[in-house]
Amino acid sequence: MESPHGLGAGSINVTAKRIDANRPGFKLFSIREESFYSRLGLRNGAVIQRINGLDLNGPDKVLEAFTKLRDARRIELQIERGGVPVRKVFDVQ
């Protein structure tokens, strides 16, 4: 997936990863340094669980979330990094 705001070159790969029956998410990999996603604080191996309140419980939800980011003025991410939940909020200018 390419950057929705053009903030850096590169793409990101995601793979489905079920954390448990009630906590789906998508594991991130191939994040390049200095990419849009790296600047958001995402790292390889992190599991993204929610974008702007949208639970990522299937590939269709991932596509929906990234599509909505194109017009977003605020980005809120719920991720799990090293087993620790992390919330990140960004205002887009």
Side-chain angles (χ1 to χ4, degrees):
M1 288 181 234
E2 292 299 318
S3 162
H5 295 287
L7 300 176
S11 61
I12 188 171
N13 294 310
V14 298
T15 185
K17 174 180 169 108
R18 183 167 296 280
I19 300 166
D20 65 40
N22 296 317
R23 292 174 45 221
F26 286 80
K27 187 173 183 178
L28 307 175
F29 63 99
S30 299
I31 299 172
R32 297 182 193 152
E33 285 189 38
E34 301 303 319
S35 70
F36 169 75
Y37 304 100
S38 177
R39 290 177 185 171
L40 288 179
L42 301 176
R43 301 291 179 262
N44 291 316
V47 176
I48 189 163
Q49 299 169 317
R50 190 174 296 117
I51 298 175
N52 286 356
L54 183 64
D55 289 327
L56 303 183
N57 54 11
D60 56 326
K61 293 295 185 181
V62 173
L63 183 57
E64 180 183 346
F66 276 88
T67 299
K68 287 182 177 180
L69 285 180
R70 295 179 195 276
D71 298 320
R73 294 292 163 235
R74 185 177 187 95
I75 299 172
E76 182 177 340
L77 305 174
Q78 181 67 42
I79 63 175
E80 186 175 286
R81 187 184 305 149
V84 177
V86 177
R87 180 176 171 257
K88 295 193 165 277
V89 180
F90 305 92
D91 290 317
V92 180
Q93 299 179 0

